[in-house]
Amino acid sequence: MSGPPPATPPSTATPPSTATPPTATPSTATPSTATIAWFHCFAGIAGDMALGSLIDAGADVSEIRLLLQRLSLPGWELTVEQSLRGGVACTRALVRGGGDAVVRTHEHIVGLITEAALPPRVTERALAVFRRLADVESALHRRPVDQVHFHEVGGHDAIIDIVGTVAALEVLGVDEVTASPVATGTGTVRAAHGILPNPSPAAVRLLKGIPTYGRPTGIELTTPTGAALLAALATAFGPMPAMVIAASGFGGGAGELDELPNCTQVIIGHHQVGAIGPGQPALVLETNLDDVTGEQLAYAVAAALGAGAFDAWVTPVTMKKGRPGHVLHVLTDATHLDALRHLIHTTTGTFGVRATASERWPAARSLDQITLDGMVVRMKVGYGRAKPEFEDIALVATATGEAVHEVASRAEEAWRLSRRTAAVDGTPPA
């Protein structure tokens, strides 16, 4: 088996003695309790900062290394160093070696991860992160996903940062990932493609739909790797969710910032699944309409969703003077309030929009995929249920002549079979 050079972790590799790992792990947690990780991205997030924060919070470095050694990726070395950033004690995760000039494709990295026989949840999360990166690179360079070539994010350090982060989440028994709004820098940064704006085009696309804000610094606070981790793994963004705190840690970035500590913070805790508690703050924007066409209504809904709304829908009503009309509803957060309010005005011509404070409890979910009749079908997975993406099953139905509901049923059964197979032989699902 290939892996890093056999090395005894340096004396700096021991996490701080004050860090206590969460007590609820997969072997001890009760069915009603879930472990949650909240990333506080007040100075942005990068792959090494996410990994460092989880190690600082108590993820055992030796266990992370053992999982990483399953990758057929020789010549790397993961070390950790204790440091200070803005006077805050933090852990830096450093990947050394592996300085090859290989430009890996998305398919290459998928094979690297699936052949490593990692725990199923580690495999699923790592593949989800690289899929997000591949989708963005495909859009930016206007080429199919299977022709995408990774540059920075295909190197040893990026692979170890991403797989190491999801391995650390598994070591800590984390069931759900959430995050704060994400800070970004300004100016320009240097990348493999030359000078790029800061935040980079890839980071901006990955942060679509995620609350973000800029800080007046020329440092790349949020990298594509960090943005991809949040885009693929986080189920909610906002203030720290209700939890019983078990551990916390800081992952340090390279260099100091003048205005704040250059760190990503993570807080690990437990919360009751199914218990009714404070939800994620939300707003419902509404307007009554009696003079718009069906085409305008459909356009308004699509535009709201494209602009970052959580959801948008239309209900028929009877308005004053007995006129038939519609109410446009848009579910959002405070970050998108002004933009969506303006969008509703421009798409419908309404004279007014009202807002109602609300809460929402989004369920944790992940992305998976199966192959049906030689075609890939994406699956949205949550609470033991997998729902196929309609666009994918429609393509299969068109190609085979089968009814859409029959294709959907076969897709769900194929997913369940892949999970049972994985449980029996211990290999990641296909």
Side-chain angles (χ1 to χ4, degrees):
M1 177 184 299
S2 299
T8 301
S11 59
T12 56
T14 305
S17 58
T18 56
T20 304
T23 55
T25 63
S27 61
T28 60
T30 62
S32 61
T33 301
T35 300
I36 187 169
W38 180 68
F39 285 97
H40 191 189
C41 307
F42 62 92
I45 185 170
D48 60 337
M49 294 165 74
L51 176 55
S53 69
L54 293 166
I55 294 172
D56 202 55
D60 187 273
V61 183
S62 298
E63 291 189 45
I64 296 171
R65 286 197 187 98
L66 286 173
L67 289 172
L68 289 171
Q69 286 172 12
R70 300 185 188 186
L71 296 169
S72 181
L73 192 72
W76 57 268
E77 181 184 4
L78 171 64
T79 61
V80 298
E81 294 179 356
Q82 306 311 315
S83 186
L84 291 174
R85 288 292 180 265
V88 175
C90 62
T91 293
R92 294 209 62 213
L94 303 171
V95 180
R96 297 187 173 94
D100 58 8
V102 175
V103 177
R104 295 180 172 87
T105 64
H106 176 243
E107 183 179 8
H108 184 173
I109 291 179
V110 168
L112 189 72
I113 293 170
T114 55
E115 293 167 8
L118 294 162
R121 191 159 59 172
V122 174
T123 300
E124 292 168 10
R125 285 172 167 170
L127 291 177
V129 175
F130 278 106
R131 178 68 195 199
R132 286 297 184 110
L133 286 166
D135 287 341
V136 164
E137 289 294 321
S138 172
L140 286 174
H141 300 294
R142 296 182 179 177
R143 55 174 39 183
V145 169
D146 59 2
Q147 295 180 19
V148 165
H149 288 78
F150 291 133
H151 293 275
E152 287 97 336
V153 295
H156 279 56
D157 54 349
I159 294 173
I160 296 302
D161 285 343
I162 291 172
V163 182
T165 296
V166 297
L169 290 171
E170 192 70 11
V171 169
L172 292 171
V174 172
D175 303 302
E176 184 178 350
V177 175
T178 64
S180 71
V182 183
T184 62
T186 188
T188 59
V189 294
R190 182 174 293 278
H193 296 290
I195 301 297
L196 297 175
N198 179 24
S200 68
V204 169
R205 284 184 178 254
L206 287 160
L207 291 171
K208 182 179 180 180
I210 296 176
T212 60
Y213 60 98
R215 289 190 179 277
T217 176
I219 303 297
E220 187 180 25
L221 299 181
T222 296
T223 66
T225 302
L229 285 165
L230 295 183
L233 304 181
T235 59
F237 295 88
M240 184 174 71
M243 67 169 82
V244 177
I245 295 175
S248 65
F250 288 89
E256 291 274 14
L257 297 175
D258 293 333
E259 61 273 20
L260 76 165
N262 186 15
C263 301
T264 296
Q265 182 186 29
V266 70
I267 297 176
I268 311 293
H270 313 306
H271 69 135
Q272 294 300 116
V273 176
I276 301 299
Q280 178 183 349
L283 294 168
V284 180
L285 307 182
E286 295 177 332
T287 186
N288 290 9
L289 303 165
D290 65 357
D291 59 351
V292 297
T293 66
E295 290 92 341
Q296 286 177 282
L297 287 171
Y299 174 70
V301 169
L305 293 172
F310 296 138
D311 201 357
W313 64 99
V314 174
T315 55
V317 293
T318 300
M319 302 177 61
K320 60 186 178 183
K321 302 181 181 179
R323 296 174 181 170
H326 296 86
V327 179
L328 172 64
H329 313 262
V330 177
L331 181 65
T332 184
D333 58 14
T335 305
H336 296 85
L337 171 60
D338 289 340
L340 286 170
R341 183 168 56 84
H342 177 71
L343 183 144
I344 291 171
H345 280 294
T346 57
T347 56
T348 67
T350 184
F351 287 114
V353 177
R354 59 187 176 272
T356 304
S358 184
E359 290 181 300
R360 72 183 199 127
W361 290 263
R365 69 200 70 180
S366 62
L367 294 177
D368 202 350
Q369 65 180 41
I370 53 97
T371 301
L372 207 62
D373 298 325
M375 305 176 70
V376 173
V377 176
R378 294 166 294 169
M379 309 290 291
K380 188 180 295 182
V381 182
Y383 288 111
R385 182 202 174 195
K387 181 179 184 297
E389 291 288 349
F390 181 81
E391 292 82 359
D392 294 349
I393 63 172
L395 288 175
V396 176
T398 301
T400 62
E402 193 174 0
V404 169
H405 69 274
E406 291 292 344
V407 176
S409 178
R410 287 203 295 124
E412 292 179 18
E413 180 56 33
W415 180 83
R416 287 191 291 268
L417 178 61
S418 72
R419 310 309 294 175
R420 289 195 294 268
T421 302
V424 170
D425 61 20
T427 60

